[in-house]
Amino acid sequence: MSPNSSPHPQHHENNPYFQQQPQHDPNYYPMHGLKVPQPRRTKPITWFTAIFCAILWMIIILGGLMVLIVYLVYRPRSPRFDISSATLNAAYIDMGYLLNADLTILANFTNPNRKIDVDFHYMVIDLYYGETQIATQAIDPFSATRAESKLLDVHMVSSQVRLPSGDSGQLKQQMEENRVVLDVRGLFRTRSNFGTIFHYSYWLYSRCTIVLNGPPTGILQSHRCRTKR
């Protein structure tokens, strides 16, 4: 027997400790028999996504702060549309259902803001009797400076507009009673100018109910207007 050989080699072969022990694995711990997982490197796409989301949130937060500051400084209010006066110059019905009418209104556009100029771009005013559109008129663009009101004459003419039978009878009765009810509806594309840098465009919808004497006097008795975005 060699002096360097083990007297009981079979004991080492049958011992589970010696059978399971890796010889060259630095991550092996004999007391537990487990491997420690290697740390995984973060992929570049993950870093890119995280940085992009952080920048996006910063932009959103800064944008919200800027909007809040502008609102607190300028306190923007919507322009208003009103009717200062109106005259029903003529109105009669042909063949029992075809309306011919001539109406003049003095429209009042008001910019209630003391720090904001307002530009009126696309503007259309429609005239209705009941739910029937009987006339329409476009208005040239203009600007209203701070706390300014603009008065514009608007001439609206109806020619051979077919009315439902119920509406034509009702209009005849209103003219006899000297109390004609019409609707004036406006659609306006406006832009508020916050200094020379910031601009904000939006639509305005106006509706006025006017009550007039019958023609030929046709003076305005009362009106009610509202404007909303």
Side-chain angles (χ1 to χ4, degrees):
M1 178 181 296
S2 171
N4 296 327
S5 61
S6 173
H8 302 288
Q10 67 277 8
H11 293 170
H12 295 282
E13 295 175 357
N14 298 328
N15 193 322
Y17 173 79
F18 290 99
Q19 290 179 357
Q20 297 177 5
Q21 180 179 3
Q23 299 299 319
H24 302 289
D25 193 340
N27 298 316
Y28 181 80
Y29 288 81
M31 295 300 295
H32 303 285
L34 300 175
K35 286 187 177 182
V36 177
Q38 291 283 353
R40 301 177 63 181
R41 296 182 59 186
T42 304
K43 296 181 180 180
I45 186 65
T46 304
W47 285 109
F48 175 79
T49 303
I51 294 173
F52 175 78
C53 291
I55 294 175
L56 181 62
W57 275 110
M58 289 180 62
I59 293 174
I60 293 174
I61 293 172
L62 291 176
L65 287 175
M66 290 180 63
V67 171
L68 179 61
I69 291 172
V70 169
Y71 177 81
L72 293 177
V73 170
Y74 289 94
R75 297 284 184 175
R77 298 166 61 189
S78 297
R80 295 192 301 268
F81 171 77
D82 197 7
I83 294 178
S84 297
S85 66
T87 303
L88 183 59
N89 304 307
Y92 60 93
I93 297 176
D94 281 341
M95 302 175 61
Y97 59 89
L98 297 178
L99 173 63
N100 298 275
D102 186 303
L103 175 71
T104 302
I105 64 175
L106 183 61
N108 184 0
F109 296 87
T110 301
N111 174 15
N113 300 284
R114 298 187 178 277
K115 298 181 180 180
I116 303 172
D117 296 333
V118 176
D119 298 329
F120 292 85
H121 296 289
Y122 177 85
M123 294 184 294
V124 175
I125 294 179
D126 297 322
L127 181 64
Y128 281 78
Y129 182 77
E131 294 301 321
T132 303
Q133 182 179 345
I134 60 176
T136 186
Q137 181 65 52
I139 301 177
D140 293 333
F142 65 91
S143 297
T145 58
R146 304 168 187 179
E148 182 184 15
S149 293
K150 290 275 190 177
L151 297 175
L152 298 177
D153 282 316
V154 182
H155 188 205
M156 313 195 75
V157 177
S158 303
S159 179
Q160 300 291 296
V161 178
R162 178 186 290 270
L163 292 179
S165 58
D167 286 352
S168 59
Q170 178 176 287
L171 179 57
K172 290 178 181 179
Q173 181 179 354
Q174 288 180 351
M175 287 191 291
E176 292 173 358
E177 296 174 351
N178 220 27
R179 185 178 173 83
V180 179
V181 181
L182 298 173
D183 270 349
V184 179
R185 304 178 189 180
L187 175 63
F188 315 114
R189 181 66 173 176
T190 56
R191 185 180 71 178
S192 295
N193 302 312
F194 302 86
T196 58
I197 300 177
F198 299 104
H199 308 283
Y200 173 52
S201 297
Y202 49 93
W203 289 98
L204 288 179
Y205 304 88
S206 297
R207 183 169 182 174
C208 295
T209 300
I210 58 177
V211 180
L212 309 105
N213 288 351
T217 56
I219 61 174
L220 181 65
Q221 297 181 16
S222 63
H223 74 287
R224 183 179 68 255
C225 294
R226 65 178 184 273
T227 301
K228 63 180 182 179
R229 294 190 184 184

